Amino acid sequence: MKLRVVDWIDYDDDDMPEGTIGWAARNAIIDDIRKHNYLFSGWAHQEGYRCTPLLNDGKIYRFSQRGWGDIMAEAHGEEGEMSYASYAFMMDRKFEKRPDRRSFFTGDFETDLNETFQIETSADLFEKAQRENKIVFDNFEKLRYLDEGDTLVLSSNGETKTYLVTAVQRSRDNTVKDEDKFLFTVDLAPVK
């Protein structure tokens, strides 16, 4: 999904429709936080001036204080189960960096945001995806912006199969001890 943050507005801004928070939107917000080195709490996200992201799809993305704390923790490289707690609630303003108050988005919002992702897989994963209409990745870095409605083209040993992405879930890999590792399950619908 070709999503990106185009502005930061007030949490209570009712002029914009609310976006559905998927992994592509979440990662677009995280990338903008990293790019600008923002640091502010879930409290500031809800109560502060211009601390709520507006994406290029024309939608506002609102989070609970804990949910925003989780976004901010991941943006700052912390992915433990309780990392969100350091960022969820009010923090001393002198440690914060909030979005610039002087810039306002004046462009057009985008409607054609779906993307096509091409991935080479093992023969086993390729076959399993065909059989189950699902694939699980243990490394999602190349697919951070994959979301519902995108196209996923899987290839293995010269064979190619095209799928419509119907859902993307992220879960902790509990088989790995003392490490924050995630699995990404993608539900697929074959494209003829």
Side-chain angles (χ1 to χ4, degrees):
M1 196 70 58
K2 298 179 224 170
L3 291 174
R4 61 187 165 74
V5 175
V6 294
D7 204 351
W8 292 82
I9 61 179
D10 294 339
Y11 190 91
D12 296 328
D13 190 331
D14 293 329
D15 294 337
M16 298 296 177
E18 189 154 349
T20 302
I21 301 166
W23 292 107
R26 178 185 170 90
N27 286 324
I29 295 164
I30 287 170
D31 289 349
D32 196 67
I33 291 168
R34 287 176 177 164
K35 177 180 177 183
H36 296 98
N37 201 30
Y38 293 142
L39 176 62
F40 55 92
S41 68
W43 182 90
H45 165 67
Q46 291 182 345
E47 304 297 334
Y49 178 68
R50 295 176 48 84
C51 290
T52 304
L54 175 68
L55 273 58
N56 59 324
D57 61 356
K59 296 178 181 171
I60 186 172
Y61 287 80
R62 295 180 181 99
F63 297 83
S64 68
Q65 288 186 29
R66 286 177 176 86
W68 184 258
D70 191 51
I71 293 276
M72 194 59 72
E74 187 170 335
H76 289 275
E78 299 176 37
E79 295 182 353
E81 289 186 57
M82 295 298 293
S83 295
Y84 75 90
S86 298
Y87 301 92
F89 308 107
M90 190 181 294
M91 62 177 64
D92 192 325
R93 180 76 166 97
K94 69 182 175 187
F95 297 115
E96 291 185 335
K97 181 178 180 196
R98 295 182 184 182
D100 185 359
R101 296 179 179 168
R102 294 179 297 243
S103 65
F104 292 93
F105 179 71
T106 57
D108 293 325
F109 295 116
E110 300 171 44
T111 55
D112 184 19
L113 298 172
N114 291 356
E115 287 187 82
T116 298
F117 294 84
Q118 298 183 347
I119 298 293
E120 183 75 28
T121 68
S122 68
D124 290 342
L125 275 178
F126 186 81
E127 183 183 309
K128 189 173 182 178
Q130 287 184 68
R131 192 174 58 250
E132 298 177 6
N133 288 330
K134 184 179 289 198
I135 189 165
V136 178
F137 297 100
D138 62 359
N139 182 343
F140 202 61
E141 199 56 36
K142 292 179 185 176
L143 301 173
R144 292 181 74 239
Y145 284 82
L146 181 73
D147 213 337
E148 184 177 326
D150 287 334
T151 301
L152 182 61
V153 180
L154 299 177
S155 301
S156 180
N157 298 326
E159 194 175 351
T160 301
K161 186 78 174 164
T162 303
Y163 298 94
L164 179 67
V165 175
T166 58
V168 179
Q169 299 95 28
R170 180 173 95 166
S171 59
R172 287 191 183 277
D173 183 352
N174 293 325
T175 64
V176 180
K177 294 185 183 203
D178 301 324
E179 186 179 336
D180 293 315
K181 189 170 180 184
F182 297 93
L183 296 175
F184 299 90
T185 304
V186 181
D187 293 341
L188 306 166
V191 175
K192 303 213 182 224

